[in-house]
Structures are given as C-alpha cells and as structure tokens.
Amino acid sequence: MAAEGSSKTVVYAALVGNSLVAATKIAAAAWTGSSAMMSEAVHSVVDITNEVLLLYGYHRASRPPDESHPLGYGRELYFWSFIVALLIFALGAGVSLYQGVLHVTAPEPIQDPVISVVLGLAFVFEGVSWLFALRHFRSEHARLGWYEAFVRSKDPPAFMVLLEDSAALVGIVIAAATTTAAVLLTQPVWDGVGSILIGVLLGVASIGLARESMSLLIGEPAHAELSRSIRDIARHSPGVLRANGLLTAQLSPAEVVAALSVEFADDKRADDIEQCVISIENEIRKQHPSVAALFIKPQTNARYHAVRARRWGARS
C-alpha cells in the first residue's frame, strides 16, 4: 500500500507538471503557428488526460472484494493503464503525424520564432515531473537495469509517467531543434518534419506501454523472489514432505493470488493436514501481506506433475 501511495504521488506530480507544460505549449503554438509545437501541445493535453485516467484507475482498483468480484478490482488499474497507452497512440501519435504530414505537404512559415523560448519553461516543468518519476522508479528497482526494470514492474503508472515524461522531454528538444532549423534555413518544411518525428516517438512509446499493460491485464505471475519464498515457507513447515509447485498471478501492484500444491506426510490425518494448511497460510501472510488470496491443495508430487504435463504439455 505504501508503494501504491508513492506511485499516486508521482501521478499527481505529473498532472501538475503537465498542466503547466500544456498551457505553455498551447500559448507558444498559437503565437507561432508551429506544427511541431502544436504536436507537443496535443501531447501534453493527452498526458493530462492520461494522469486523470490513471488516478481514476487507482480509485476503481481500491474497492474491496465482493461476491461478483471475489478477488477484488485490482486489475482495473491495468485496464485503465492499457487505455492510456491506446490514447497516447491514437491521439498523441496520430495527431502529431497528421499535423506533420500536413505541414510537409503544405509548409507554412512560423510567424514569430522568438516565442519558442517558452519551450525552455516547458522543459523545466516537464523535467521536475520526470525527476519525481525517476526517483520513485529507481527506488523500486535499484538493482535492475532500465529495460529489466520496465519489463518486471507490476506498477504501470510508475513506468508510464516516467516514459511519458521522457518522451515529452525528447519531444521538446525535437520541437525546439526543428523550429530553429525552419527559421534559420528558411525552410518551414522542417517544422512538419519535427511533428512527424514527435509522432513516431509517441507511437514507439505507446506500443511499449500497451505491451506491458496488456501483459499485466492478461495475468502476469508474481516476482520470482516471492514465489521462491512461498515455496520455502511451505517446504520447511511441519508435516510437509515437499512443496510441489506454485502458481501466482498479479492482481494489482500490491496484491497477488497464489495457488500452492503441497504433499503432506502419509501419517497425517485430515484434521492434522488442516492444521498444517492453517500454519502455512499464517506464515505466508505474515511474511508476505501482498498475498491477497492463497489456495493450498494437498497433492502427491506424481499427481502434480501429471496434471501440469496435461495442462502445458511440452511447455511444462
């Protein structure tokens, strides 16, 4: 829950930052008539919408379990994260590419390039939001490389805000460079080229975000460290011969469901096995509060592997 609160703080910081950035970019785009800056303005407006949707996703995901959703609503956050990725692609990238193609085929001179210095303010506002997101992301994945941390993360808003802000900073640099080139070279076509580059940048970012969000929405397993710990707890519990295997699924950034197959000693009666199961459950929940639902199935090792082979075949 602490990690969730920290991620929400990052989203709030991004919402404030993007609101300031959007106002700055819209003013610059309206004053100069720059296609690249208009693309950046649209990008920031889309980012604001994204932050609002992520906060709405947090609200919806925090609802307690009920009869219609016995495992809770945690995955609703993953659904809204996927919608955000689609918005970046459809609105951010789509509008930018459209503006770019329009200004490449029919270039229009920038009316007042001096106002482009407001992009410096946008860079500062975006940079502050980026630093918030970076600090949170690195605190959660201090020992991992960037790509591995991105793939392993179970908290889409955290990496979404970081990737959005990174794309925005690169986009501001592209907008500034192409606007300057359009003025200094007296070739307004560069303004359209900048918009196209920003569209491609947003398209690539949105595809990466959609891929990771979809994977979580479908059902990714929990981190390997958690799975190993649960198996070790079961393996060393009294009355247990072996922990056959474990299935886990991430319900939300802070919740996991686990199904554990355990073989108990042959001399254990039904009531003894029940007490063993209670003991395992208590210890797992004590060490791992993130395990929201735990199912323990008494099963021989041979039976477990037979069922596994039938379910996954050659992939087991």
Side-chain angles (χ1 to χ4, degrees):
M1 296 304 294
E4 178 180 314
S6 181
S7 294
K8 288 179 72 174
T9 301
V10 170
V11 178
Y12 277 117
L15 179 60
V16 173
N18 281 320
S19 297
L20 295 172
V21 170
T24 304
K25 290 177 181 177
I26 290 171
W31 190 275
T32 62
S34 168
S35 169
M37 276 189 284
M38 179 57 71
S39 296
E40 275 298 297
V42 171
H43 177 191
S44 293
V45 171
V46 171
D47 283 350
I48 292 172
T49 305
N50 293 344
E51 267 87 65
V52 171
L53 288 178
L54 290 177
L55 291 172
Y56 179 69
Y58 272 121
H59 169 70
R60 297 282 296 176
S62 65
R63 291 176 295 167
D66 53 37
E67 290 186 3
S68 60
H69 292 83
L71 295 180
Y73 294 82
R75 280 191 182 166
E76 193 157 344
L77 178 61
Y78 297 152
F79 168 77
W80 288 108
S81 298
F82 184 69
I83 295 298
V84 164
L86 295 181
L87 282 178
I88 295 174
F89 184 83
L91 295 181
V95 172
S96 296
L97 290 172
Y98 173 77
Q99 286 281 335
V101 172
L102 194 66
H103 282 72
V104 165
T105 55
E108 296 180 5
I110 296 175
Q111 296 176 7
D112 187 355
V114 177
I115 200 65
S116 297
V117 296
V118 298
L119 285 177
L121 290 175
F123 193 90
V124 172
F125 297 145
E126 200 75 66
V128 172
S129 173
W130 181 82
L131 287 174
F132 266 95
L134 177 66
R135 185 166 61 179
H136 170 72
F137 195 74
R138 293 309 297 167
S139 68
E140 294 292 318
H141 308 283
R143 295 175 295 175
L144 303 177
W146 287 100
Y147 178 75
E148 185 180 3
F150 174 70
V151 172
R152 282 169 54 89
S153 177
K154 308 299 183 182
D155 189 1
F159 62 71
M160 277 190 161
V161 170
L162 180 60
L163 193 55
E164 276 183 1
D165 288 346
S166 299
L169 289 173
V170 175
I172 291 172
V173 172
I174 292 173
T178 54
T179 300
T180 301
V183 174
L184 295 181
L185 302 176
T186 321
Q187 295 180 352
V189 70
W190 279 104
D191 186 39
V193 171
S195 189
I196 291 174
L197 291 176
I198 292 170
V200 171
L201 173 68
L202 294 178
V204 172
S206 66
I207 291 172
L209 291 174
R211 178 180 178 276
E212 291 305 313
S213 299
M214 181 184 67
S215 181
L216 287 164
L217 182 60
I218 293 173
E220 281 190 2
H223 291 306
E225 295 84 354
L226 175 64
S227 297
R228 281 195 295 268
S229 177
I230 291 176
R231 287 196 298 268
D232 286 341
I233 291 172
R235 188 178 298 117
H236 294 99
S237 295
V240 173
L241 287 180
R242 62 177 59 84
N244 300 317
L246 176 71
L247 290 177
T248 61
Q250 200 76 30
L251 296 177
S252 75
E255 293 181 311
V256 173
V257 60
L260 179 65
S261 172
V262 176
E263 182 173 359
F264 293 96
D266 293 337
D267 60 347
K268 296 295 180 183
R269 297 164 56 89
D271 54 346
D272 296 328
I273 292 177
E274 182 180 5
Q275 292 304 312
C276 290
V277 168
I278 293 173
S279 175
I280 295 171
E281 287 180 339
N282 289 339
E283 187 61 27
I284 290 174
R285 294 186 186 281
K286 177 182 176 181
Q287 295 192 30
H288 303 290
S290 61
V291 179
L294 175 65
F295 305 96
I296 300 177
K297 182 176 184 178
Q299 194 174 39
T300 65
N301 187 53
R303 177 60 181 168
Y304 166 76
H305 285 287
V307 172
R308 181 179 174 87
R310 185 169 67 246
R311 180 173 178 81
W312 284 293
R315 294 175 292 175
S316 62

